[in-house]
Amino acid sequence: MDFKDQTQKVYRLIAELVMQIGNLGVRLLWHLLHFIVSLWYFALGIVSAIESYLISRGVLKRYKTLDIGKLRYLAIVVESEDAHQITKVIKLLQWLMAIGVKCACLYDTEGILKKSKESILARLNNATLFEEADENNLLLDHDHNKHITLEFASLSDGKEAVAKAANILFMKYLQSGDPGKSEEESFFTEAHLTEALRAVGCRGPEPDLLLVYGPARCHLGFPLWRIRYTEIVHMGPLKTMRRGSLIKAIYRFTMVRQNYGKSFSFFDLNWIFLVNPPREECIAEAVYCF
């Protein structure tokens, strides 16, 4: 009996030892894979930094000839925490002006850049607000002087703007008060929505290129109806921005041929207006039905 007990103890010890060795092996394998991936991204970062340095110094000649005329409107999305780095944002804008970008939109979710627009404009030479520019000639400006037109946007220009525009259309529909209208006459078209968005001050041009500065690889709530044909490029955190990377992103965009076929329009969605009668002002909320 003692021999049997001793044998079982030995078996248990061997099983525990094998399990510990297995766990150790899995951990070592995980750390090895993590080290390889980290080393790979570190190497990519070094290559990107070297390439960016060479581009900014003008060593790579192909990046000197930018067809900047193809980039009529540029959007820059900045993560809210990075948006507090106003000095970095101003430096980025100065790079854009030196490259020759004429029109740009600065966006962050919380509207930090919009609140700081006066200080930003004060530290830039030859910068104009989008609201003060002539919208008809805005995208046709081919002046070679280093001048830039800036638009400041935030999340309130997205969801809230759509709700306000929907409310305007709904109030117009109520004020018309003609029950004899056909269903086609009562349907809101893209032109109606564009006019309503312009009335609330949230109808800007559609960007050709959108650069995202931040950890997230998404547009961070930038108005969807403005990026139907927009190319989106993730640039990494704002604190690690590089002039060469900016030039490379713009260069790659100018070298791409865009084919515009039939697409799904943001305004092709059906609108349902939900009204709360007890309120003093009828607030219409736009609900998109896919």
mmCIF file of all heavy atoms in Angstrom, residues 66 68 71 74 76 88-106 119-129 141 143-152 211 213 243 246-247 250:
data_model
loop_
_atom_site.group_PDB
_atom_site.id
_atom_site.type_symbol
_atom_site.label_atom_id
_atom_site.label_comp_id
_atom_site.label_asym_id
_atom_site.label_seq_id
_atom_site.Cartn_x
_atom_site.Cartn_y
_atom_site.Cartn_z
ATOM 1 N N LEU A 66 5.229 67.682 -56.498
ATOM 2 C CA LEU A 66 3.872 67.375 -56.046
ATOM 3 C C LEU A 66 2.863 68.107 -56.925
ATOM 4 O O LEU A 66 2.948 69.317 -57.102
ATOM 5 C CB LEU A 66 3.674 67.808 -54.589
ATOM 6 C CG LEU A 66 4.309 66.949 -53.494
ATOM 7 C CD1 LEU A 66 4.082 67.598 -52.146
ATOM 8 C CD2 LEU A 66 3.748 65.547 -53.508
ATOM 9 N N ILE A 68 0.062 69.441 -56.470
ATOM 10 C CA ILE A 68 -0.790 69.838 -55.357
ATOM 11 C C ILE A 68 -2.157 70.305 -55.822
ATOM 12 O O ILE A 68 -3.100 70.405 -55.022
ATOM 13 C CB ILE A 68 -0.085 70.942 -54.531
ATOM 14 C CG1 ILE A 68 -0.660 71.021 -53.111
ATOM 15 C CG2 ILE A 68 -0.158 72.269 -55.247
ATOM 16 C CD1 ILE A 68 -0.432 69.806 -52.282
ATOM 17 N N LEU A 71 -5.104 68.127 -54.952
ATOM 18 C CA LEU A 71 -5.600 68.164 -53.576
ATOM 19 C C LEU A 71 -6.299 69.501 -53.355
ATOM 20 O O LEU A 71 -5.720 70.469 -52.879
ATOM 21 C CB LEU A 71 -4.450 67.990 -52.590
ATOM 22 C CG LEU A 71 -4.828 67.909 -51.101
ATOM 23 C CD1 LEU A 71 -5.771 66.752 -50.847
ATOM 24 C CD2 LEU A 71 -3.573 67.776 -50.244
ATOM 25 N N LEU A 74 -8.300 69.479 -48.073
ATOM 26 C CA LEU A 74 -7.683 68.511 -47.161
ATOM 27 C C LEU A 74 -8.355 68.588 -45.801
ATOM 28 O O LEU A 74 -8.605 69.681 -45.285
ATOM 29 C CB LEU A 74 -6.191 68.799 -47.021
ATOM 30 C CG LEU A 74 -5.423 67.994 -45.961
ATOM 31 C CD1 LEU A 74 -5.342 66.532 -46.367
ATOM 32 C CD2 LEU A 74 -4.021 68.565 -45.766
ATOM 33 N N ILE A 76 -8.057 67.303 -41.758
ATOM 34 C CA ILE A 76 -7.150 66.778 -40.737
ATOM 35 C C ILE A 76 -7.961 66.476 -39.488
ATOM 36 O O ILE A 76 -8.553 67.376 -38.880
ATOM 37 C CB ILE A 76 -6.033 67.778 -40.413
ATOM 38 C CG1 ILE A 76 -5.199 68.055 -41.663
ATOM 39 C CG2 ILE A 76 -5.147 67.251 -39.294
ATOM 40 C CD1 ILE A 76 -4.149 69.113 -41.459
ATOM 41 N N LYS A 88 1.833 72.061 -31.918
ATOM 42 C CA LYS A 88 2.014 71.020 -32.935
ATOM 43 C C LYS A 88 1.059 71.254 -34.110
ATOM 44 O O LYS A 88 1.441 71.075 -35.282
ATOM 45 C CB LYS A 88 1.761 69.647 -32.313
ATOM 46 C CG LYS A 88 2.857 69.159 -31.406
ATOM 47 C CD LYS A 88 4.009 68.594 -32.214
ATOM 48 C CE LYS A 88 5.023 67.903 -31.324
ATOM 49 N NZ LYS A 88 6.163 67.358 -32.106
ATOM 50 N N VAL A 89 -0.177 71.617 -33.806
ATOM 51 C CA VAL A 89 -1.163 71.862 -34.867
ATOM 52 C C VAL A 89 -0.715 73.021 -35.746
ATOM 53 O O VAL A 89 -0.808 72.963 -36.978
ATOM 54 C CB VAL A 89 -2.545 72.144 -34.250
ATOM 55 C CG1 VAL A 89 -3.549 72.526 -35.340
ATOM 56 C CG2 VAL A 89 -3.049 70.918 -33.490
ATOM 57 N N ILE A 90 -0.214 74.085 -35.138
ATOM 58 C CA ILE A 90 0.248 75.244 -35.908
ATOM 59 C C ILE A 90 1.445 74.864 -36.776
ATOM 60 O O ILE A 90 1.539 75.274 -37.943
ATOM 61 C CB ILE A 90 0.616 76.395 -34.953
ATOM 62 C CG1 ILE A 90 -0.647 76.926 -34.261
ATOM 63 C CG2 ILE A 90 1.321 77.515 -35.696
ATOM 64 C CD1 ILE A 90 -0.381 77.947 -33.188
ATOM 65 N N LYS A 91 2.339 74.058 -36.239
ATOM 66 C CA LYS A 91 3.488 73.604 -37.020
ATOM 67 C C LYS A 91 3.031 72.766 -38.210
ATOM 68 O O LYS A 91 3.576 72.902 -39.330
ATOM 69 C CB LYS A 91 4.432 72.795 -36.130
ATOM 70 C CG LYS A 91 5.747 72.425 -36.805
ATOM 71 C CD LYS A 91 6.673 71.718 -35.831
ATOM 72 C CE LYS A 91 8.015 71.399 -36.499
ATOM 73 N NZ LYS A 91 8.930 70.699 -35.544
ATOM 74 N N LEU A 92 2.032 71.924 -37.993
ATOM 75 C CA LEU A 92 1.480 71.114 -39.074
ATOM 76 C C LEU A 92 0.876 71.995 -40.164
ATOM 77 O O LEU A 92 1.070 71.756 -41.365
ATOM 78 C CB LEU A 92 0.425 70.158 -38.510
ATOM 79 C CG LEU A 92 -0.298 69.243 -39.510
ATOM 80 C CD1 LEU A 92 0.703 68.338 -40.213
ATOM 81 C CD2 LEU A 92 -1.355 68.418 -38.797
ATOM 82 N N LEU A 93 0.154 73.028 -39.767
ATOM 83 C CA LEU A 93 -0.434 73.954 -40.733
ATOM 84 C C LEU A 93 0.635 74.719 -41.502
ATOM 85 O O LEU A 93 0.481 74.990 -42.701
ATOM 86 C CB LEU A 93 -1.376 74.919 -40.019
ATOM 87 C CG LEU A 93 -2.651 74.312 -39.429
ATOM 88 C CD1 LEU A 93 -3.415 75.343 -38.630
ATOM 89 C CD2 LEU A 93 -3.530 73.734 -40.537
ATOM 90 N N GLN A 94 1.706 75.069 -40.836
ATOM 91 C CA GLN A 94 2.812 75.757 -41.517
ATOM 92 C C GLN A 94 3.449 74.851 -42.562
ATOM 93 O O GLN A 94 3.836 75.312 -43.645
ATOM 94 C CB GLN A 94 3.847 76.214 -40.487
ATOM 95 C CG GLN A 94 3.370 77.352 -39.606
ATOM 96 C CD GLN A 94 4.339 77.674 -38.480
ATOM 97 O OE1 GLN A 94 5.217 76.872 -38.141
ATOM 98 N NE2 GLN A 94 4.185 78.848 -37.880
ATOM 99 N N TRP A 95 3.564 73.568 -42.257
ATOM 100 C CA TRP A 95 4.052 72.621 -43.256
ATOM 101 C C TRP A 95 3.127 72.567 -44.456
ATOM 102 O O TRP A 95 3.579 72.552 -45.595
ATOM 103 C CB TRP A 95 4.179 71.240 -42.630
ATOM 104 C CG TRP A 95 5.315 71.092 -41.674
ATOM 105 C CD1 TRP A 95 6.348 71.965 -41.486
ATOM 106 C CD2 TRP A 95 5.535 70.004 -40.769
ATOM 107 N NE1 TRP A 95 7.200 71.492 -40.518
ATOM 108 C CE2 TRP A 95 6.742 70.289 -40.065
ATOM 109 C CE3 TRP A 95 4.857 68.837 -40.485
ATOM 110 C CZ2 TRP A 95 7.258 69.439 -39.104
ATOM 111 C CZ3 TRP A 95 5.359 67.976 -39.519
ATOM 112 C CH2 TRP A 95 6.552 68.278 -38.832
ATOM 113 N N LEU A 96 1.826 72.530 -44.195
ATOM 114 C CA LEU A 96 0.852 72.477 -45.294
ATOM 115 C C LEU A 96 0.944 73.725 -46.166
ATOM 116 O O LEU A 96 0.857 73.637 -47.401
ATOM 117 C CB LEU A 96 -0.563 72.327 -44.727
ATOM 118 C CG LEU A 96 -0.875 71.008 -44.021
ATOM 119 C CD1 LEU A 96 -2.280 71.041 -43.426
ATOM 120 C CD2 LEU A 96 -0.748 69.833 -44.989
ATOM 121 N N MET A 97 1.094 74.872 -45.541
ATOM 122 C CA MET A 97 1.226 76.112 -46.306
ATOM 123 C C MET A 97 2.486 76.098 -47.157
ATOM 124 O O MET A 97 2.487 76.558 -48.307
ATOM 125 C CB MET A 97 1.219 77.309 -45.355
ATOM 126 C CG MET A 97 -0.098 77.522 -44.634
ATOM 127 S SD MET A 97 -0.032 78.844 -43.394
ATOM 128 C CE MET A 97 0.228 80.282 -44.453
ATOM 129 N N ALA A 98 3.578 75.560 -46.606
ATOM 130 C CA ALA A 98 4.829 75.481 -47.362
ATOM 131 C C ALA A 98 4.699 74.511 -48.538
ATOM 132 O O ALA A 98 5.289 74.744 -49.605
ATOM 133 C CB ALA A 98 5.967 75.041 -46.437
ATOM 134 N N ILE A 99 3.937 73.433 -48.351
ATOM 135 C CA ILE A 99 3.723 72.477 -49.434
ATOM 136 C C ILE A 99 2.866 73.080 -50.536
ATOM 137 O O ILE A 99 3.039 72.780 -51.716
ATOM 138 C CB ILE A 99 3.084 71.187 -48.875
ATOM 139 C CG1 ILE A 99 4.076 70.462 -47.959
ATOM 140 C CG2 ILE A 99 2.639 70.257 -50.000
ATOM 141 C CD1 ILE A 99 3.472 69.296 -47.207
ATOM 142 N N GLY A 100 1.928 73.949 -50.136
ATOM 143 C CA GLY A 100 1.062 74.593 -51.125
ATOM 144 C C GLY A 100 -0.402 74.260 -50.989
ATOM 145 O O GLY A 100 -1.190 74.558 -51.889
ATOM 146 N N VAL A 101 -0.794 73.643 -49.869
ATOM 147 C CA VAL A 101 -2.206 73.331 -49.639
ATOM 148 C C VAL A 101 -2.977 74.626 -49.431
ATOM 149 O O VAL A 101 -2.584 75.477 -48.621
ATOM 150 C CB VAL A 101 -2.365 72.400 -48.422
ATOM 151 C CG1 VAL A 101 -3.842 72.171 -48.112
ATOM 152 C CG2 VAL A 101 -1.661 71.078 -48.675
ATOM 153 N N LYS A 102 -4.080 74.789 -50.149
ATOM 154 C CA LYS A 102 -4.852 76.034 -50.108
ATOM 155 C C LYS A 102 -6.035 75.983 -49.149
ATOM 156 O O LYS A 102 -6.408 76.994 -48.566
ATOM 157 C CB LYS A 102 -5.362 76.373 -51.514
ATOM 158 C CG LYS A 102 -4.274 76.552 -52.541
ATOM 159 C CD LYS A 102 -3.360 77.704 -52.181
ATOM 160 C CE LYS A 102 -2.269 77.895 -53.223
ATOM 161 N NZ LYS A 102 -1.315 78.948 -52.825
ATOM 162 N N CYS A 103 -6.651 74.811 -49.007
ATOM 163 C CA CYS A 103 -7.863 74.703 -48.183
ATOM 164 C C CYS A 103 -7.749 73.484 -47.281
ATOM 165 O O CYS A 103 -7.390 72.390 -47.740
ATOM 166 C CB CYS A 103 -9.114 74.580 -49.056
ATOM 167 S SG CYS A 103 -9.318 75.917 -50.245
ATOM 168 N N ALA A 104 -8.051 73.653 -46.006
ATOM 169 C CA ALA A 104 -7.955 72.556 -45.051
ATOM 170 C C ALA A 104 -9.035 72.696 -43.993
ATOM 171 O O ALA A 104 -9.474 73.803 -43.669
ATOM 172 C CB ALA A 104 -6.576 72.521 -44.396
ATOM 173 N N CYS A 105 -9.449 71.552 -43.473
ATOM 174 C CA CYS A 105 -10.438 71.497 -42.397
ATOM 175 C C CYS A 105 -9.796 70.828 -41.195
ATOM 176 O O CYS A 105 -9.250 69.728 -41.308
ATOM 177 C CB CYS A 105 -11.678 70.725 -42.841
ATOM 178 S SG CYS A 105 -12.891 70.456 -41.523
ATOM 179 N N LEU A 106 -9.845 71.486 -40.043
ATOM 180 C CA LEU A 106 -9.335 70.926 -38.793
ATOM 181 C C LEU A 106 -10.502 70.404 -37.976
ATOM 182 O O LEU A 106 -11.439 71.142 -37.681
ATOM 183 C CB LEU A 106 -8.568 71.982 -38.006
ATOM 184 C CG LEU A 106 -7.241 72.456 -38.592
ATOM 185 C CD1 LEU A 106 -6.648 73.554 -37.725
ATOM 186 C CD2 LEU A 106 -6.258 71.301 -38.722
ATOM 187 N N SER A 119 -6.562 81.969 -31.741
ATOM 188 C CA SER A 119 -5.131 81.930 -31.426
ATOM 189 C C SER A 119 -4.346 81.252 -32.545
ATOM 190 O O SER A 119 -3.197 81.629 -32.832
ATOM 191 C CB SER A 119 -4.903 81.191 -30.104
ATOM 192 O OG SER A 119 -5.371 79.856 -30.186
ATOM 193 N N ILE A 120 -4.956 80.267 -33.194
ATOM 194 C CA ILE A 120 -4.283 79.591 -34.307
ATOM 195 C C ILE A 120 -4.119 80.545 -35.486
ATOM 196 O O ILE A 120 -3.040 80.652 -36.080
ATOM 197 C CB ILE A 120 -5.063 78.332 -34.722
ATOM 198 C CG1 ILE A 120 -5.003 77.278 -33.614
ATOM 199 C CG2 ILE A 120 -4.515 77.755 -36.025
ATOM 200 C CD1 ILE A 120 -5.846 76.051 -33.884
ATOM 201 N N LEU A 121 -5.187 81.266 -35.826
ATOM 202 C CA LEU A 121 -5.126 82.209 -36.946
ATOM 203 C C LEU A 121 -4.163 83.357 -36.656
ATOM 204 O O LEU A 121 -3.509 83.876 -37.563
ATOM 205 C CB LEU A 121 -6.523 82.758 -37.247
ATOM 206 C CG LEU A 121 -7.533 81.750 -37.806
ATOM 207 C CD1 LEU A 121 -8.916 82.372 -37.884
ATOM 208 C CD2 LEU A 121 -7.096 81.258 -39.175
ATOM 209 N N ALA A 122 -4.087 83.749 -35.382
ATOM 210 C CA ALA A 122 -3.202 84.860 -35.022
ATOM 211 C C ALA A 122 -1.731 84.496 -35.212
ATOM 212 O O ALA A 122 -0.897 85.381 -35.471
ATOM 213 C CB ALA A 122 -3.454 85.276 -33.581
ATOM 214 N N ARG A 123 -1.401 83.218 -35.117
ATOM 215 C CA ARG A 123 -0.007 82.782 -35.241
ATOM 216 C C ARG A 123 0.340 82.297 -36.642
ATOM 217 O O ARG A 123 1.446 81.823 -36.884
ATOM 218 C CB ARG A 123 0.271 81.676 -34.214
ATOM 219 C CG ARG A 123 0.133 82.155 -32.773
ATOM 220 C CD ARG A 123 0.286 81.035 -31.780
ATOM 221 N NE ARG A 123 1.602 80.420 -31.836
ATOM 222 C CZ ARG A 123 1.984 79.401 -31.047
ATOM 223 N NH1 ARG A 123 1.127 78.937 -30.139
ATOM 224 N NH2 ARG A 123 3.179 78.880 -31.162
ATOM 225 N N LEU A 124 -0.628 82.404 -37.546
ATOM 226 C CA LEU A 124 -0.380 82.033 -38.939
ATOM 227 C C LEU A 124 -0.466 83.267 -39.829
ATOM 228 O O LEU A 124 -1.320 84.131 -39.623
ATOM 229 C CB LEU A 124 -1.408 80.997 -39.419
ATOM 230 C CG LEU A 124 -1.328 79.598 -38.808
ATOM 231 C CD1 LEU A 124 -2.493 78.760 -39.295
ATOM 232 C CD2 LEU A 124 -0.006 78.916 -39.165
ATOM 233 N N ASN A 125 0.392 83.329 -40.792
ATOM 234 C CA ASN A 125 0.330 84.412 -41.772
ATOM 235 C C ASN A 125 -0.489 83.959 -42.979
ATOM 236 O O ASN A 125 -0.376 82.817 -43.421
ATOM 237 C CB ASN A 125 1.748 84.809 -42.223
ATOM 238 C CG ASN A 125 2.573 85.372 -41.078
ATOM 239 O OD1 ASN A 125 2.036 86.060 -40.207
ATOM 240 N ND2 ASN A 125 3.865 85.078 -41.075
ATOM 241 N N ASN A 126 -1.299 84.854 -43.510
ATOM 242 C CA ASN A 126 -2.091 84.571 -44.711
ATOM 243 C C ASN A 126 -3.040 83.391 -44.513
ATOM 244 O O ASN A 126 -3.127 82.494 -45.351
ATOM 245 C CB ASN A 126 -1.175 84.300 -45.911
ATOM 246 C CG ASN A 126 -0.311 85.484 -46.251
ATOM 247 O OD1 ASN A 126 -0.725 86.634 -46.097
ATOM 248 N ND2 ASN A 126 0.912 85.216 -46.693
ATOM 249 N N ALA A 127 -3.736 83.377 -43.398
ATOM 250 C CA ALA A 127 -4.744 82.362 -43.135
ATOM 251 C C ALA A 127 -6.111 83.021 -43.020
ATOM 252 O O ALA A 127 -6.253 84.075 -42.396
ATOM 253 C CB ALA A 127 -4.427 81.591 -41.858
ATOM 254 N N THR A 128 -7.124 82.393 -43.642
ATOM 255 C CA THR A 128 -8.475 82.934 -43.664
ATOM 256 C C THR A 128 -9.460 81.879 -43.199
ATOM 257 O O THR A 128 -9.283 80.688 -43.471
ATOM 258 C CB THR A 128 -8.851 83.395 -45.094
ATOM 259 O OG1 THR A 128 -7.862 84.276 -45.585
ATOM 260 C CG2 THR A 128 -10.202 84.087 -45.104
ATOM 261 N N LEU A 129 -10.498 82.310 -42.501
ATOM 262 C CA LEU A 129 -11.557 81.392 -42.090
ATOM 263 C C LEU A 129 -12.402 80.987 -43.290
ATOM 264 O O LEU A 129 -12.642 81.782 -44.196
ATOM 265 C CB LEU A 129 -12.448 82.031 -41.027
ATOM 266 C CG LEU A 129 -11.958 81.964 -39.587
ATOM 267 C CD1 LEU A 129 -12.911 82.722 -38.676
ATOM 268 C CD2 LEU A 129 -11.814 80.529 -39.118
ATOM 269 N N ASP A 141 -9.060 78.291 -56.334
ATOM 270 C CA ASP A 141 -7.957 79.208 -56.062
ATOM 271 C C ASP A 141 -6.637 78.548 -56.429
ATOM 272 O O ASP A 141 -6.206 77.598 -55.785
ATOM 273 C CB ASP A 141 -7.947 79.599 -54.576
ATOM 274 C CG ASP A 141 -6.879 80.629 -54.262
ATOM 275 O OD1 ASP A 141 -6.329 81.231 -55.204
ATOM 276 O OD2 ASP A 141 -6.618 80.815 -53.070
ATOM 277 N N ASP A 143 -3.804 80.408 -56.778
ATOM 278 C CA ASP A 143 -2.752 81.377 -56.465
ATOM 279 C C ASP A 143 -1.575 80.650 -55.822
ATOM 280 O O ASP A 143 -1.743 79.828 -54.924
ATOM 281 C CB ASP A 143 -3.310 82.430 -55.506
ATOM 282 C CG ASP A 143 -2.328 83.563 -55.281
ATOM 283 O OD1 ASP A 143 -1.285 83.559 -55.959
ATOM 284 O OD2 ASP A 143 -2.627 84.428 -54.437
ATOM 285 N N HIS A 144 -0.380 80.963 -56.246
ATOM 286 C CA HIS A 144 0.804 80.262 -55.758
ATOM 287 C C HIS A 144 1.329 80.870 -54.468
ATOM 288 O O HIS A 144 2.317 80.395 -53.917
ATOM 289 C CB HIS A 144 1.896 80.266 -56.833
ATOM 290 C CG HIS A 144 1.524 79.459 -58.047
ATOM 291 N ND1 HIS A 144 1.520 78.081 -58.053
ATOM 292 C CD2 HIS A 144 1.113 79.849 -59.280
ATOM 293 C CE1 HIS A 144 1.149 77.639 -59.252
ATOM 294 N NE2 HIS A 144 0.897 78.687 -60.006
ATOM 295 N N ASN A 145 0.736 81.954 -54.002
ATOM 296 C CA ASN A 145 1.150 82.521 -52.725
ATOM 297 C C ASN A 145 0.793 81.569 -51.594
ATOM 298 O O ASN A 145 -0.193 80.840 -51.664
ATOM 299 C CB ASN A 145 0.480 83.876 -52.504
ATOM 300 C CG ASN A 145 0.953 84.908 -53.519
ATOM 301 O OD1 ASN A 145 2.089 84.850 -53.981
ATOM 302 N ND2 ASN A 145 0.069 85.826 -53.873
ATOM 303 N N LYS A 146 1.591 81.576 -50.538
ATOM 304 C CA LYS A 146 1.374 80.674 -49.420
ATOM 305 C C LYS A 146 0.212 81.196 -48.573
ATOM 306 O O LYS A 146 0.408 81.867 -47.561
ATOM 307 C CB LYS A 146 2.655 80.540 -48.600
ATOM 308 C CG LYS A 146 3.756 79.777 -49.319
ATOM 309 C CD LYS A 146 5.000 79.673 -48.470
ATOM 310 C CE LYS A 146 6.030 78.758 -49.128
ATOM 311 N NZ LYS A 146 6.428 79.233 -50.455
ATOM 312 N N HIS A 147 -0.970 80.856 -49.005
ATOM 313 C CA HIS A 147 -2.191 81.269 -48.313
ATOM 314 C C HIS A 147 -3.063 80.042 -48.107
ATOM 315 O O HIS A 147 -3.121 79.148 -48.951
ATOM 316 C CB HIS A 147 -2.943 82.328 -49.129
ATOM 317 C CG HIS A 147 -4.221 82.767 -48.474
ATOM 318 N ND1 HIS A 147 -5.405 82.094 -48.629
ATOM 319 C CD2 HIS A 147 -4.477 83.811 -47.650
ATOM 320 C CE1 HIS A 147 -6.345 82.708 -47.929
ATOM 321 N NE2 HIS A 147 -5.808 83.744 -47.330
ATOM 322 N N ILE A 148 -3.718 79.973 -46.962
ATOM 323 C CA ILE A 148 -4.540 78.815 -46.659
ATOM 324 C C ILE A 148 -5.874 79.262 -46.062
ATOM 325 O O ILE A 148 -5.929 80.223 -45.295
ATOM 326 C CB ILE A 148 -3.803 77.849 -45.695
ATOM 327 C CG1 ILE A 148 -4.566 76.525 -45.568
ATOM 328 C CG2 ILE A 148 -3.592 78.484 -44.331
ATOM 329 C CD1 ILE A 148 -3.772 75.453 -44.847
ATOM 330 N N THR A 149 -6.930 78.573 -46.458
ATOM 331 C CA THR A 149 -8.260 78.804 -45.909
ATOM 332 C C THR A 149 -8.593 77.661 -44.964
ATOM 333 O O THR A 149 -8.502 76.491 -45.344
ATOM 334 C CB THR A 149 -9.311 78.881 -47.030
ATOM 335 O OG1 THR A 149 -8.966 79.931 -47.926
ATOM 336 C CG2 THR A 149 -10.685 79.140 -46.456
ATOM 337 N N LEU A 150 -8.965 77.978 -43.731
ATOM 338 C CA LEU A 150 -9.168 76.972 -42.689
ATOM 339 C C LEU A 150 -10.630 76.883 -42.280
ATOM 340 O O LEU A 150 -11.300 77.901 -42.101
ATOM 341 C CB LEU A 150 -8.317 77.304 -41.459
ATOM 342 C CG LEU A 150 -6.798 77.246 -41.638
ATOM 343 C CD1 LEU A 150 -6.105 77.660 -40.356
ATOM 344 C CD2 LEU A 150 -6.357 75.860 -42.066
ATOM 345 N N GLU A 151 -11.077 75.664 -42.133
ATOM 346 C CA GLU A 151 -12.403 75.385 -41.572
ATOM 347 C C GLU A 151 -12.199 74.616 -40.275
ATOM 348 O O GLU A 151 -11.375 73.695 -40.207
ATOM 349 C CB GLU A 151 -13.242 74.561 -42.549
ATOM 350 C CG GLU A 151 -14.604 74.175 -41.998
ATOM 351 C CD GLU A 151 -15.327 73.164 -42.866
ATOM 352 O OE1 GLU A 151 -14.755 72.743 -43.892
ATOM 353 O OE2 GLU A 151 -16.456 72.779 -42.510
ATOM 354 N N PHE A 152 -12.947 74.967 -39.249
ATOM 355 C CA PHE A 152 -12.867 74.284 -37.963
ATOM 356 C C PHE A 152 -14.176 73.543 -37.716
ATOM 357 O O PHE A 152 -15.258 74.141 -37.796
ATOM 358 C CB PHE A 152 -12.591 75.277 -36.836
ATOM 359 C CG PHE A 152 -11.242 75.930 -36.926
ATOM 360 C CD1 PHE A 152 -11.059 77.081 -37.696
ATOM 361 C CD2 PHE A 152 -10.151 75.402 -36.262
ATOM 362 C CE1 PHE A 152 -9.821 77.683 -37.778
ATOM 363 C CE2 PHE A 152 -8.900 76.011 -36.346
ATOM 364 C CZ PHE A 152 -8.737 77.147 -37.108
ATOM 365 N N LEU A 211 -6.511 63.069 -43.267
ATOM 366 C CA LEU A 211 -5.387 62.570 -42.477
ATOM 367 C C LEU A 211 -5.806 62.469 -41.016
ATOM 368 O O LEU A 211 -6.278 63.456 -40.445
ATOM 369 C CB LEU A 211 -4.180 63.495 -42.621
ATOM 370 C CG LEU A 211 -3.682 63.754 -44.054
ATOM 371 C CD1 LEU A 211 -2.494 64.704 -44.036
ATOM 372 C CD2 LEU A 211 -3.320 62.456 -44.747
ATOM 373 N N TYR A 213 -4.739 61.936 -37.191
ATOM 374 C CA TYR A 213 -3.654 61.972 -36.221
ATOM 375 C C TYR A 213 -4.204 61.517 -34.870
ATOM 376 O O TYR A 213 -4.989 62.217 -34.244
ATOM 377 C CB TYR A 213 -3.063 63.376 -36.111
ATOM 378 C CG TYR A 213 -2.179 63.754 -37.273
ATOM 379 C CD1 TYR A 213 -2.703 64.421 -38.371
ATOM 380 C CD2 TYR A 213 -0.826 63.437 -37.267
ATOM 381 C CE1 TYR A 213 -1.886 64.769 -39.444
ATOM 382 C CE2 TYR A 213 -0.008 63.779 -38.334
ATOM 383 C CZ TYR A 213 -0.544 64.441 -39.414
ATOM 384 O OH TYR A 213 0.265 64.780 -40.489
ATOM 385 N N ARG A 243 7.309 65.809 -41.122
ATOM 386 C CA ARG A 243 7.042 66.531 -42.359
ATOM 387 C C ARG A 243 7.162 65.615 -43.571
ATOM 388 O O ARG A 243 6.382 65.693 -44.516
ATOM 389 C CB ARG A 243 8.014 67.705 -42.500
ATOM 390 C CG ARG A 243 7.707 68.618 -43.676
ATOM 391 C CD ARG A 243 8.583 69.863 -43.633
ATOM 392 N NE ARG A 243 8.214 70.797 -44.680
ATOM 393 C CZ ARG A 243 8.745 70.804 -45.898
ATOM 394 N NH1 ARG A 243 9.683 69.910 -46.211
ATOM 395 N NH2 ARG A 243 8.364 71.693 -46.799
ATOM 396 N N LEU A 246 4.093 63.531 -44.013
ATOM 397 C CA LEU A 246 3.013 64.343 -44.555
ATOM 398 C C LEU A 246 3.161 64.501 -46.067
ATOM 399 O O LEU A 246 2.187 64.340 -46.824
ATOM 400 C CB LEU A 246 3.016 65.709 -43.871
ATOM 401 C CG LEU A 246 1.973 66.722 -44.346
ATOM 402 C CD1 LEU A 246 0.561 66.220 -44.054
ATOM 403 C CD2 LEU A 246 2.199 68.073 -43.683
ATOM 404 N N ILE A 247 4.363 64.802 -46.515
ATOM 405 C CA ILE A 247 4.610 64.942 -47.948
ATOM 406 C C ILE A 247 4.349 63.623 -48.669
ATOM 407 O O ILE A 247 3.760 63.595 -49.760
ATOM 408 C CB ILE A 247 6.060 65.416 -48.193
ATOM 409 C CG1 ILE A 247 6.260 66.805 -47.603
ATOM 410 C CG2 ILE A 247 6.391 65.413 -49.678
ATOM 411 C CD1 ILE A 247 7.690 67.299 -47.696
ATOM 412 N N ILE A 250 0.572 62.986 -49.079
ATOM 413 C CA ILE A 250 0.000 63.839 -50.129
ATOM 414 C C ILE A 250 0.482 63.384 -51.506
ATOM 415 O O ILE A 250 -0.287 63.347 -52.474
ATOM 416 C CB ILE A 250 0.361 65.309 -49.874
ATOM 417 C CG1 ILE A 250 -0.284 65.791 -48.574
ATOM 418 C CG2 ILE A 250 -0.079 66.193 -51.032
ATOM 419 C CD1 ILE A 250 0.077 67.203 -48.180
#
